């Protein structure tokens, strides 16, 4: 039983689902969605407020403007893509606090959340600032 508990605790320490990310963004937590896909994927559609740093371009130089006190939640297309895993690994190696979004933008949309970009879906639950 103890091994199973540890397994699930470890899993939750490194992964987040779309609902948890949506709540964190709406509650003003120190969290940023990080799209680890190439720029054209981000430009077409992304999570509102997300930043884009393709996993292949994550370096000390390309991330020097980022705050290391913030949690970055990496994502990509979905379960058929591993850019979010590669991005999470790269960002962790660069000294950032990171979690990976389960299911990527595919599950984000499946859960009914709005997206931005040239193909963004403005219908759905939106992230709203209460300030």
């Amino acid at each position: 039983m103890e091994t199973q508990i540890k397994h699930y605790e470890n899993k939750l320490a490194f992964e987040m689902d779309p609902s948890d990310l949506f709540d964190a963004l709406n509650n003003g937590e120190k969290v940023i969605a990080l799209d680890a896909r190439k720029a054209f994927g981000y430009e077409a559609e992304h999570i509102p407020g997300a930043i884009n740093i393709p996993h292949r371009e994550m370096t000390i130089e390309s991330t020097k403007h980022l705050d290391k006190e913030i949690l970055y939640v990496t994502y990509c297309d979905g379960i058929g893509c591993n850019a979010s895993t590669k991005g999470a690994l790269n960002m962790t190696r660069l000294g950032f606090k990171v979690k990976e979004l389960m299911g990527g933008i595919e599950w984000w949309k499946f859960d009914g959340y709005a997206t931005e970009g040239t193909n963004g879906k403005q219908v759905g639950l939106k992230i709203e600032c209460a300030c």
Side-chain angles (χ1 to χ4, degrees):
M1 186 79 63
E2 197 59 38
T3 303
Q4 284 179 291
I5 291 170
K6 196 63 169 165
H7 168 76
Y8 293 118
E9 286 175 343
N10 286 334
K11 189 172 182 169
L12 290 172
F14 302 113
E15 295 178 342
M16 179 180 282
D17 70 13
S19 175
D20 289 338
L21 177 58
F22 182 81
D23 289 346
L25 292 168
N26 264 327
N27 293 333
E29 294 178 27
K30 289 182 154 186
V31 61
I32 293 177
L34 193 162
D35 192 318
R37 301 174 298 160
K38 293 181 179 177
F40 72 86
Y42 172 83
E43 290 164 7
E45 189 172 31
H46 57 271
I47 293 172
I51 62 172
N52 177 231
I53 306 174
H55 70 89
R56 289 180 176 93
E57 299 174 19
M58 292 175 179
T59 63
I60 292 172
E61 187 63 29
S62 68
T63 60
K64 69 181 179 184
H65 65 287
L66 300 177
D67 184 347
K68 290 197 176 182
E69 297 304 311
I70 292 177
L71 173 66
Y72 294 90
V73 180
T74 62
Y75 73 91
C76 57
D77 287 332
I79 61 172
C81 175
N82 66 3
S84 62
T85 304
K86 291 175 181 177
L89 177 60
N90 291 342
M91 291 295 286
T92 301
R93 285 180 173 157
L94 291 166
F96 292 93
K97 296 187 288 186
V98 183
K99 285 191 177 187
E100 184 176 10
L101 183 65
M102 297 168 59
I105 196 165
E106 179 182 356
W107 286 8
W108 176 268
K109 294 186 301 186
F110 181 77
D111 282 355
Y113 302 119
T115 58
E116 296 177 335
T118 56
N119 297 332
K121 307 283 189 264
Q122 293 302 313
V123 296
L125 298 172
K126 295 181 179 17
I127 298 166
E128 298 180 34
C129 178
C131 31

